[in-house]
Amino acid sequence: MAEPYVEQVEYLDNLTKIDKKIGVSKPRGDVHRDGDYHKAVHVWNFAKRTQELLLQKRADCKDSWPGLWDISSAGHISAGDSSLITAQ
């Protein structure tokens, strides 16, 4: 028998306006709903030889900006992670 699907909740560290952790992490949806400061990374892929910037089209099922063009790659920094780990 197949295991039931369990949605994983992404937790994000809450920050002050000056980028200091406040010691609280909350689910991604709550952070967005409440307007809390949090970190994300953006990775831009640029082809120097052709002078082209690689973009992606967001999936239609995304909860923010569905179906629109976006940067090459991006993501929230999960609670306790660093920018470098997330970007990699």
Side-chain angles (χ1 to χ4, degrees), residues 12-16 20-26 31 36-37:
L12 308 176
D13 288 323
N14 287 28
L15 308 170
T16 67
K20 301 292 182 200
K21 289 183 183 180
I22 63 171
V24 174
S25 62
K26 292 171 36 178
V31 168
D36 297 321
Y37 289 101

Side-chain angles (χ1 to χ4, degrees), residues 72-86:
S72 306
S73 180
H76 289 97
I77 299 175
S78 295
D81 281 352
S82 69
S83 300
L84 181 59
I85 292 296
T86 301

Side-chain angles (χ1 to χ4, degrees), residues 46-78:
F46 182 73
K48 190 174 181 179
R49 183 177 57 81
T50 61
Q51 300 290 293
E52 293 176 311
L53 178 64
L54 177 65
L55 300 175
Q56 66 163 321
K57 190 169 184 187
R58 294 174 63 80
D60 289 331
C61 62
K62 289 290 193 179
D63 61 358
S64 58
W65 312 107
L68 298 180
W69 290 100
D70 203 353
I71 64 172
S72 306
S73 180
H76 289 97
I77 299 175
S78 295

Side-chain angles (χ1 to χ4, degrees), residues 25-43:
S25 62
K26 292 171 36 178
R28 175 186 173 274
D30 292 356
V31 168
H32 283 188
R33 178 197 66 215
D34 299 342
D36 297 321
Y37 289 101
H38 60 285
K39 287 187 176 185
V41 295
H42 293 184
V43 177

